[in-house]
């Protein structure tokens, strides 16, 4: 008998808990339905079917119940996007701008148009004149979308950018103690080119990657990888020139390029090069251009030629010379500019770093703007660039799930980081992760 009362109490508590669970679930279901109804009301008369949904009610249901991105389809414009974020209790910002009337010289059909963003935090969806032209996941690298066919010449154009910096388990970093401010915080530009041009679409890079294979004081040899985009042409004439730090042309080559979607490789060699080093940060200019009788497109990138080695005996060596590393960790915000740093902010940081006597910096957790690395190239400063695979010091591993989407986003961001910073001679190390628990 002495065990009957505890058993009865346990059964009664279980029944009571079950009843409470049913009540809470029903209340939650009602709340979910209310949120879906509220979202539907924010999209009056919208064509949600254009984004793959049977209707706006289905779109709202997918947001609330299936975790669909709130900025995947925003037919109601900037106001609707912000309102959806308020209902869901997360930050969704939207900016809609009217682009002035665009004019083209000659035939408009022969002109290609692209839009480039240097940094939008963290998930961005871009619409041009009501058409969704692309989504980018990751707030620290540049990206470019093809908008040819969506831009109207001789008329005003509407550009809508919907941005969410809410936490997600499929976009890195999913756990961090960094401040992720959100929004468009770096430069953006409209790119107009001829029908065939050097492509800015390859992983957000300039489309020209320099691969030195052998580097020495007598000669540098390697390949130059050029990405070309075209609307209809099967081939073009590609020209590659290399100019020394003194302004002298030290290499020039012209070749016929087949346009089959693959990058064009151009072998090069430079005799008696001036190697990049901390004492003498010599920079060469590599120019890729398209055209035979006249040049229709041209892209120039700067790089430096140096060899890098690492061993337990010598440590880090540059051009075979042991180079002690005296570095600092540089974060991404300050009290005045927040996370939207501009050139004077970077100059102030570099001034303090040099005053300390440091010769290296680490871009903590994520890459900085290209301006910083350009200046490091010029000043002879070593750089370590992190990927955003990071752990917060508090409850740091609760947000990591090894899903295919998580892995895909991590690889995508790492590829973009490397492609966009590959030509910088100052960048000598890639950080794959930071603060992770190895267990």
């Amino acid at each position: 008998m002495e065990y009957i009362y505890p058993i009865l109490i346990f059964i009664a508590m279980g029944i009571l808990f079950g009843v409470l669970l049913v009540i809470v679930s029903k209340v939650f279901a009602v709340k979910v339905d209310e949120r879906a109804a509220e979202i539907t009301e924010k999209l009056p008369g919208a064509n949600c079917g254009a984004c793959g949904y049977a209707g706006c009610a289905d779109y709202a249901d997918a947001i609330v119940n299936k975790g669909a991105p709130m900025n995947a389809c925003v037919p109601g414009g900037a106001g609707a996007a912000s309102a959806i974020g308020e209902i869901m209790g997360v930050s969704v910002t939207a900016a809609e701008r009217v682009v002035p009337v665009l004019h083209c010289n000659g035939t408009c059909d022969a002109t290609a148009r692209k839009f480039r963003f240097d940094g939008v935090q963290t998930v961005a969806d871009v619409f041009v004149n009501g058409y969704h032209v692309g989504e980018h996941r990751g707030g620290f690298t540049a990206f470019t979308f093809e908008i040819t066919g969506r831009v109207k010449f001789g008329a005003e154009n509407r550009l809508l950018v919907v941005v969410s910096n809410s936490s997600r388990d499929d976009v890195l970093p999913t756990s961090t103690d960094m401040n992720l401010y959100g929004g468009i915080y770096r430069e953006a530009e409209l790119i107009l080119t001829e029908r065939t041009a050097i492509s800015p679409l390859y992983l957000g890079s300039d489309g020209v990657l320099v691969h030195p294979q052998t580097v020495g004081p007598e000669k540098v040899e390697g390949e130059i990888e050029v990405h070309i985009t075209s609307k209809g042409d099967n081939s073009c004439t590609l020209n590659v020139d290399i100019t020394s730090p003194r302004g002298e042309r030290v290499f020039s080559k012209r070749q016929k390029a087949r346009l089959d979607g693959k990058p064009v490789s151009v072998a090069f060699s430079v005799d008696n090069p001036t190697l990049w080093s901390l004492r003498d940060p010599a920079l060469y200019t590599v120019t890729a251009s398209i055209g035979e009788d006249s040049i229709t497109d041209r892209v120039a990138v700067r790089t430096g030629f140096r060899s890098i080695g690492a061993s337990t005996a010598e440590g880090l060596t540059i051009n075979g010379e042991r180079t002690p590393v005296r570095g600092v960790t540089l974060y991404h915000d300050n009290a005045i500019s927040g996370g939207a740093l501009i050139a004077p902010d970077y100059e102030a940081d570099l001034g303090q770093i040099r005053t300390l006597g440091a010769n290296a910096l680490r871009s903590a957790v994520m890459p900085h703007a290209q301006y910083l690395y350009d200046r490091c190239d010029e000043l002879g400063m070593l750089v370590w660039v992190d990927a955003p695979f990071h752990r917060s010091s508090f409850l740091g591993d609760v947000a990591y799930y090894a899903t295919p989407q998580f892995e895909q986003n991590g690889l995508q961001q790492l590829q973009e980081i490397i492609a966009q910073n590959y030509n910088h001679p100052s960048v000598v190390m890639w950080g794959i992760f930071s603060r992770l628990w190895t267990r």
Side-chain angles (χ1 to χ4, degrees):
M1 293 292 294
E2 59 184 280
Y3 299 107
I4 293 179
Y5 290 110
I7 293 174
L8 291 177
I9 293 173
F10 181 78
I11 294 174
M13 290 179 63
I15 294 173
L16 179 60
F17 179 78
V19 172
L20 289 175
L21 185 63
V22 171
I23 294 173
V24 170
S25 64
K26 288 184 177 295
V27 171
F28 180 75
V30 171
K31 183 62 177 177
V32 167
D33 290 340
E34 289 177 354
R35 285 178 12 183
E38 286 184 66
I39 293 174
T40 304
E41 291 176 2
K42 298 297 181 181
L43 307 171
N47 182 20
C48 295
C51 291
Y53 297 95
C56 290
D58 288 342
Y59 174 44
D61 177 72
I63 291 175
V64 175
N65 297 313
K66 302 176 183 177
M70 286 168 287
N71 53 351
C73 173
V74 193
S82 299
I84 292 173
E86 291 177 6
I87 294 170
M88 296 298 293
V90 297
S91 172
V92 175
T93 60
E96 188 168 19
R97 296 291 183 267
V98 177
V99 182
V101 176
L102 298 176
H103 301 281
C104 63
N105 298 322
T107 305
C108 292
D109 292 340
T111 306
R113 308 125 213 175
K114 302 168 183 65
F115 212 102
R116 174 185 171 91
F117 296 87
D118 287 346
V120 182
Q121 206 169 82
T122 300
V123 178
D125 280 86
V126 182
F127 299 79
V128 175
N129 292 324
Y131 292 94
H132 184 256
V133 296
E135 179 191 59
H136 183 261
R137 301 185 176 194
F140 324 108
T141 50
F143 59 95
T144 304
F145 290 144
E146 177 72 63
I147 60 174
T148 303
R150 303 307 186 191
V151 174
K152 299 176 291 186
F153 282 94
E156 290 184 341
N157 293 270
R158 292 191 174 273
L159 174 68
L160 172 66
V161 184
V162 183
V163 188
S164 172
N165 68 335
S166 59
S167 297
R168 300 174 52 150
D169 62 10
D170 61 349
V171 178
L172 275 66
T174 61
S175 170
T176 183
D177 51 10
M178 297 287 293
N179 293 321
L180 305 181
Y181 295 92
I184 305 171
Y185 70 108
R186 291 178 183 166
E187 295 179 350
E189 62 178 329
L190 175 65
I191 302 173
L192 301 180
T193 68
E194 295 299 319
R195 180 173 59 183
T196 298
I198 309 298
S199 176
L201 300 173
Y202 178 67
L203 296 173
S205 70
D206 293 315
V208 179
L209 280 72
V210 184
H211 302 281
Q213 295 171 342
T214 59
V215 177
E218 294 82 19
K219 179 177 287 189
V220 172
E221 294 180 313
E223 293 184 345
I224 298 171
E225 175 185 332
V226 183
H227 293 261
I228 302 175
T229 182
S230 180
K231 297 293 182 182
D233 291 338
N234 296 319
S235 64
C236 70
T237 300
L238 174 64
N239 312 287
V240 173
D241 299 286
I242 300 178
T243 305
S244 74
R246 297 175 296 277
E248 304 167 345
R249 183 179 296 179
V250 294
F251 175 83
S252 183
K253 187 173 184 179
R254 170 178 289 187
Q255 69 181 53
K256 204 73 171 177
R258 181 182 177 184
L259 305 180
D260 55 2
K262 300 178 182 179
V264 180
S265 182
V266 179
F268 77 92
S269 65
V270 176
D271 293 328
N272 302 314
T274 302
L275 301 184
W276 187 93
S277 67
L278 276 65
R279 289 192 302 270
D280 184 11
L283 295 175
Y284 285 74
T285 301
V286 178
T287 304
S289 60
I290 292 177
E292 190 166 358
D293 298 327
S294 61
I295 301 301
T296 58
D297 190 50
R298 178 185 288 108
V299 170
V301 299
R302 292 191 311 175
T303 192
F305 302 125
R306 82 283 189 268
S307 63
I308 300 174
S311 68
T312 55
E314 294 290 331
L316 180 71
T317 60
I318 297 180
N319 303 324
E321 180 179 342
R322 186 175 184 273
T323 305
V325 178
R326 304 180 181 92
V328 301
T329 296
L330 183 62
Y331 283 86
H332 297 261
D333 52 7
N334 61 37
I336 305 300
S337 303
L341 303 183
I342 56 177
D345 299 315
Y346 286 121
E347 292 295 343
D349 288 336
L350 287 170
Q352 293 188 39
I353 292 170
R354 291 169 67 84
T355 300
L356 289 171
N359 63 0
L361 65 87
R362 167 181 165 240
S363 290
V365 184
M366 58 199 76
H368 286 88
Q370 288 296 307
Y371 179 87
L372 176 66
Y373 305 135
D374 288 340
R375 293 291 288 132
C376 290
D377 291 343
E378 297 167 353
L379 296 172
M381 180 82 65
L382 301 179
V383 176
W384 166 346
V385 182
D386 267 349
F389 192 9
H390 182 61
R391 178 185 65 84
S392 173
S393 55
F394 177 69
L395 296 178
D397 60 343
V398 298
Y400 281 101
Y401 304 99
T403 63
Q405 295 81 3
F406 174 88
E407 295 178 4
Q408 180 182 3
N409 182 255
L411 289 173
Q412 169 220 315
Q413 292 199 52
L414 183 59
Q415 289 171 339
E416 291 177 345
I417 290 170
I418 294 174
Q420 292 173 30
N421 298 290
Y422 193 85
N423 293 328
H424 290 291
S426 59
V427 177
V428 296
M429 285 175 272
W430 308 108
I432 306 300
F433 61 84
S434 55
R435 283 192 185 174
L436 295 189
W437 281 328
T438 55
R439 61 179 184 178

